[in-house]
Amino acid sequence: MLIFADTANLDAIKELNDYGILDGVTTNPSLMAREGIQGRDAVLTHYRAICEEVNGPVSAEVIATDYEGMLAEGRMLHAIAENIVVKVPMTPAGIKAIATLAQEDIPTNCTLVFSPGQAILAAKAGASFVSVFMGRLDDVGHPAIETVQSIIDIYEAQGAEAMVLAASIRHPQHIIQCAEVGVDAVTAPPASIKQLFHHPLTDIGLEKFLADYRKVQQQA
Ligand code: G3P
C-alpha cells in the first residue's frame, strides 16, 4: 500500500520523507490555506518546492469548476513537474476534464468521491487515482470501509486501472483498515502516519533492554 502525506506542510513532508516511508503527497485548497499560501505565484512556487522534495505523485487541486477552466489549470499545474497529479472534483465537468487530461497522458486524482457509482465514473473517465473520503463518510454515520471495499471489488471485477486512494483519514485505525482490505494508496495527515510508530510496550521493552545493557557495563 502506498502511503501519501495529506498535507502542504513542507517540514512535515520532509520529516516523513527522511524516514523513507513516503510515496507521495496530496494537497487541497484547505491544506494550502492552512499553510498561508496565497496567490497563484505562491501556490505554484509551493508545489515546485514539494515536488523537489518528493519523487512520487504530488496531487495539486484545480480551483476552477468549469470544464475549460479545469483543463487549462490542470495543464498548467502538470507543467510544474512531471510528478504532479491533477486533482479534479467529482462533478460532470470534472469527469469530462479527467477524460481529456487522460487522453493527454496527464495523471489525475478524482477527488470528493463518496460512492461506488461515482468511483465507476471516475475510473471510466481514466482517473489515475480515485480519492474516497473515509472520515467524512464515517462522520455522517456511513461505514466508510464498506464503501472502500465495494469500490475495490468493483474495480477488481471490471479490471479497472484506477487506483483506490483512501483519503480524509482521521486516525491510524483507518490506515490499518485500508491495508486489510487492500487499498492501493492511503493519504493521511502526518500525525496519523506517525502514530503508527508507537506502542507503549515498545517503549517499555526498549527501556528494559537498555537498562539491562547498562547494568552489565557497570559490572564490567
Ligand atoms: O485528501 C482529502 C482530505 O484532505 C480531506 O480530509 O479531513 O478534510 O475530511 P478532511
Side-chain angles (χ1 to χ4, degrees), residues 46-61:
H46 200 73
Y47 281 138
R48 212 164 282 126
I50 295 175
C51 290
E52 274 167 21
E53 178 63 30
V54 178
N55 293 326
V58 173
S59 286
E61 189 158 340

Side-chain angles (χ1 to χ4, degrees), residues 6-7 26-28 30-31 34 61 87 109 111-112 114 131-137 139 165-170 187-189:
D6 198 20
T7 183
T26 56
T27 63
N28 61 39
S30 305
L31 293 171
R34 198 178 294 169
E61 189 158 340
K87 208 170 173 189
N109 173 355
T111 189
L112 291 164
F114 293 92
S131 286
V132 187
F133 278 39
M134 293 188 73
R136 294 191 199 183
L137 275 171
D139 287 348
L165 173 55
S168 183
I169 297 298
R170 296 275 192 268
T187 187

Side-chain angles (χ1 to χ4, degrees), residues 181-205:
V181 300
V183 306
D184 299 296
V186 66
T187 187
S192 295
I193 297 172
K194 287 200 291 179
Q195 273 175 285
L196 293 172
F197 279 121
H198 302 296
H199 194 285
L201 290 179
T202 304
D203 301 336
I204 293 167

Side-chain angles (χ1 to χ4, degrees), residues 65-143:
T65 54
D66 63 299
Y67 167 71
E68 293 293 349
M70 284 192 262
L71 212 51
E73 216 180 321
R75 288 173 180 146
M76 187 258 299
L77 287 168
H78 186 64
I80 295 173
E82 207 39 46
N83 55 333
I84 288 268
V85 173
V86 180
K87 208 170 173 189
V88 178
M90 173 65 222
T91 61
I95 288 297
K96 194 173 165 187
I98 286 169
T100 304
L101 291 168
Q103 280 166 15
E104 296 175 16
D105 285 328
I106 295 180
T108 53
N109 173 355
C110 184
T111 189
L112 291 164
V113 168
F114 293 92
S115 73
Q118 291 177 323
I120 288 170
L121 291 180
K124 185 84 187 164
S128 322
F129 295 96
V130 176
S131 286
V132 187
F133 278 39
M134 293 188 73
R136 294 191 199 183
L137 275 171
D138 281 344
D139 287 348
V140 296
H142 187 105

